[in-house]
Amino acid sequence: MPDTHDCPGCAAPDLAFAAHDHAHCSHDALERAEALTAATGARLTPVRRRALEILLEEHKALGAYDVLARLAAEGFGNQPPVAYRALEFLVEQGLAHRIQRLNAFTACVHPGEDHAPAFLICRACHTVAEAEASGARQSLEAEAARAGFQVERTTIEALGLCPNCRGQA
Amino acid sequence: MPDTHDCPGCAAPDLAFAAHDHAHCSHDALERAEALTAATGARLTPVRRRALEILLEEHKALGAYDVLARLAAEGFGNQPPVAYRALEFLVEQGLAHRIQRLNAFTACVHPGEDHAPAFLICRACHTVAEAEASGARQSLEAEAARAGFQVERTTIEALGLCPNCRGQA
DNA sequence: TCTTGACCTGTTATGATATTACATACATAG
DNA sequence: CTATGTATGTAATATCATAACAGGTCAAGA
């Protein structure tokens, strides 16, 4: 299993926006997913695995129905729960994330590493990058603590323009 | 028009979770809303004003259809766009916020003051508190800048337990 | 005054997202 | 082999959101 230094997500915070060997990038994530689920006993079944592969194809967020259409075309069930269940599993296992702002899902770029992700969503090309949010998360927790609030889950997302689309505007 | 020191939102970051004179709190927000819209020329029409009053009744987030039902019962239109348009106006004017995690809306507790809000959402009682997110937002911007990403809008939300519900668990 | 144009409200229709409930299949521990 | 838990498939429905168009109001300018 690769260590942290091999993790493309960690090595390049702007990974999603930069040209890179995406085949390697997604292959790596898939391998990690297999290792992780094997380690915890979670079952990465064919639908689930395929759903993850679909999310890994691009650094974008896909709606459940987009994923569903792809799965259905490949012979899996064609009703919404098929997609929602697979996606829910991936999110629970930390293999994918839900982007609240888009009601959509994106593959995690460094599964298995404890991380507090923030998402950078380009409104022009719809690329979604996963950035480190530990600083933001800490601030948020501190503010919450002031109000006596106990944080369980956080949503930290930014909408804007990625470096590529900025250039074109 | 009251200055910052009269603002209940600023005075108490845990306002929503604490017992307080809510009649004064919501009345105050409504007054501010009137002053603000008058100042900018925006039209706080009857539906819009009523929608804001409905949101101000509680420190919770209401779905568009909840607001719609209330409006319809009072003689306004009963089709979705009626609610969505009023809510959209309120959000644009900074009089309400959209809570992405809940697909719902909540009244702003200190309209008119430039602020970067974070939301603390209690999963037990569904109270939504507006906290200061300038620290978190700064961290997020810094991280985004590292990737060359230009932030336009942020979503910063925490789901967890409010002080009251924590005690009961 | 009349007209124009901007904006607001209402309604119909539809689209997009998500869940509940139940039936069937499949793996594996006993 | 069979009981149990878990995964998958499907039907039906609930929930959230928008497009498109019609009619109303109001104020600015011809």
Side-chain angles (χ1 to χ4, degrees):
Chain A
M1 187 164 140
D3 73 19
T4 297
H5 294 95
D6 291 335
C7 172
C10 294
D14 57 347
L15 174 77
F17 302 134
H20 65 285
D21 180 351
H22 188 64
H24 174 271
C25 166
S26 58
H27 177 82
D28 181 70
L30 196 54
E31 252 183 8
R32 286 158 172 271
E34 272 165 354
L36 277 167
T37 49
T40 64
R43 293 164 58 188
L44 189 61
T45 60
V47 225
R48 292 166 174 178
R49 190 194 152 104
R50 194 69 197 103
L52 179 56
E53 287 171 0
I54 290 168
L55 291 183
L56 279 168
E57 283 174 13
E58 285 188 288
H59 291 291
K60 310 225 157 148
L62 288 182
Y65 279 74
D66 296 328
V67 173
L68 177 59
R70 299 282 307 271
L71 292 173
E74 298 173 23
F76 294 102
N78 74 135
Q79 297 302 312
V82 169
Y84 281 102
R85 285 193 290 229
L87 293 166
E88 182 189 25
F89 170 86
L90 296 175
V91 170
E92 269 168 8
Q93 302 298 316
L95 305 176
H97 299 289
R98 176 165 201 147
I99 309 298
Q100 299 289 349
R101 185 136 203 149
L102 304 176
N103 290 327
F105 301 82
T106 192
C108 179
V109 293
H110 38 205
E113 292 158 42
D114 194 25
H115 62 304
F119 299 98
L120 309 177
I121 308 162
C122 179
R123 66 168 162 78
C125 68
H126 304 115
T127 293
V128 173
E130 193 173 336
E132 181 53 39
S134 48
R137 164 132 190 172
Q138 247 175 348
S139 301
L140 180 52
E141 296 239 23
E143 195 63 32
R146 290 219 303 141
F149 186 93
Q150 181 185 331
V151 174
E152 289 170 355
R153 323 266 326 163
T154 59
T155 300
I156 301 179
E157 299 173 357
L159 186 70
L161 281 182
C162 78
N164 307 320
C165 295
R166 258 171 100 177
Q168 292 164 25
Chain B
M1 186 164 142
D3 73 21
T4 297
H5 293 95
D6 292 334
C7 172
C10 295
D14 58 347
L15 175 77
F17 302 134
H20 64 285
D21 181 350
H22 188 65
H24 173 270
C25 165
S26 58
H27 177 83
D28 180 70
L30 196 56
E31 251 184 7
R32 283 159 175 272
E34 272 165 353
L36 277 167
T37 50
T40 64
R43 292 164 58 189
L44 189 61
T45 60
V47 224
R48 292 167 173 178
R49 189 193 151 104
R50 194 68 196 104
L52 179 55
E53 287 173 358
I54 290 167
L55 291 183
L56 280 168
E57 284 174 12
E58 284 187 287
H59 291 290
K60 310 225 157 148
L62 287 182
Y65 279 73
D66 295 329
V67 173
L68 176 60
R70 298 283 308 268
L71 291 173
E74 297 173 22
F76 296 102
N78 73 137
Q79 296 304 312
V82 169
Y84 280 101
R85 286 195 289 232
L87 292 166
E88 181 189 26
F89 169 86
L90 296 174
V91 170
E92 269 169 7
Q93 300 299 316
L95 305 176
H97 299 289
R98 174 164 203 148
I99 309 299
Q100 299 288 350
R101 187 136 200 145
L102 303 177
N103 291 327
F105 301 83
T106 192
C108 178
V109 294
H110 39 206
E113 292 156 43
D114 194 23
H115 62 305
F119 299 97
L120 308 177
I121 307 161
C122 179
R123 65 167 162 78
C125 67
H126 305 115
T127 293
V128 173
E130 193 172 336
E132 181 55 37
S134 48
R137 165 136 189 168
Q138 246 176 345
S139 302
L140 180 53
E141 296 240 23
E143 194 63 32
R146 288 219 302 142
F149 186 94
Q150 181 184 332
V151 174
E152 291 171 355
R153 322 266 326 163
T154 59
T155 300
I156 301 180
E157 299 172 357
L159 185 69
L161 282 182
C162 78
N164 307 321
C165 295
R166 259 171 102 177
Q168 290 165 26

